[in-house]
Amino acid sequence: MIKESFETIRMEDGKLILLDQRKLPGEVTYITAETVEDVYFAIKDMAVRGAPLIGSTAAYGTYFAARESHGKEEFEAKCNYLISARPTAVNLEWAVKRVMSIALSSSFNLERIAEEAERIRKEDIEANHMLSHYGSSLLKKDSNVLTHCNAGALATSGWGTALGVIKQAFLDGKIRHVYADETRPRLQGARLTSFELVDFRIPATLIPDSAAATLIRDGKIDAIIVGADRIASNGDTANKIGTFALSVMAKAYSVPLYIAAPTSTIDLSTPNGAEIPIEERSKYEVIDPLDCGMLIAPKDIEVYNPSFDVTPAENITAIITEKGIISKPFRDNIEELMGKVNS
Ligand code: MRU
């Protein structure tokens, strides 16, 4: 297994050490979280982000909730507070509920609760490597691929999902070139994906989001690979805003669009994309993108800033998970695969 050159999350002496992604790529610094409140703000303010990493961070947050609480009621209130930090990424709720069930069934045995959080972190890394091998098998030699947002090591407990597939395919000799959307407004593609691509020495070009359509039309892209924040049971997928537009272009020009995500991102209780809650974020992310007070638009302009959009299942070629590749018909095949996962 290849060692990551940076670590996003680790537990040390009862404290959670988190890579502060707001500072990247300029500074590689870590923050410490040791209360539910610390974890809530690390997720809400996007010091940590990316669905699987939000899940792992919240798992430890649930451990802190157990450590801080004086009874079941207080514990459950703190867990619900954690879940409210970001509504779209289902891994958050999934991880909190998984650790909660251990807390409740073990009468708040802190050692067992901490072990469950650690298990979630480790399983995430393993799942990413497994799905990356499946994803690589879908790509032809000399592929030019496009990705959106950051679904790499930085979005997970390690290695990555969509970018994990790209890294594995690069090691397998299948990647000619990667195009990374800068991903307005938080610039996860420019700040984070570029950082990882340079670190991994993969030939890559950063593009403004609006250049993707031209590249796709001109036949410069062989496959688009993105991550996911929530996959409904019919295959509709929420991911970073801009993914839907890419999917429309992909369909129009017959470019395969692959979603790479662990099965913890599949939400069987959500029947379709219309039911996925979409987070709207502050107008200042759009008018003050570097968070430095240098406004790029008048302060009083109205802003619409949804953080995610939903790509309809019909625009998706396949969903790559650690348990295998899900092809169409998605509803039946998701149900079958998740039946095996849950049994
Ligand atoms: O707002 P973010 O940075 O948390 O959004 C992240 C994404 O949309 C990722 O593509 C998704 O979480 C998958 S990460 C493996």
Side-chain angles (χ1 to χ4, degrees), residues 114 135 143 280 292:
S143 285
E280 277 196 41
C292 64

Side-chain angles (χ1 to χ4, degrees), residues 21 43 46 48-54 86 88-89 91 124 128 147-156 160-163 183 186-188 191-192 226-230 238-241 243 260-262 265 279 281 285 307-309:
Q21 303 197 20
I43 294 171
M46 295 174 69
V48 295
R49 33 65 55 198
L53 182 58
I54 290 171
R86 293 197 70 191
T88 305
N91 305 60
D124 181 34
N128 292 337
T147 190
H148 189 67
C149 194
N150 172 266
L154 292 167
T156 63
T161 58
L163 202 52
T183 317
R186 290 293 292 240
L187 301 170
Q188 291 95 329
R191 295 188 304 105
L192 308 177
V226 296
D229 288 85
R230 189 184 297 238
N239 191 49
K240 181 54 55 193
I241 189 78
T243 308
T265 306
E279 176 183 8
R281 294 188 60 90
E285 290 190 342
S307 200
F308 303 96
D309 58 25

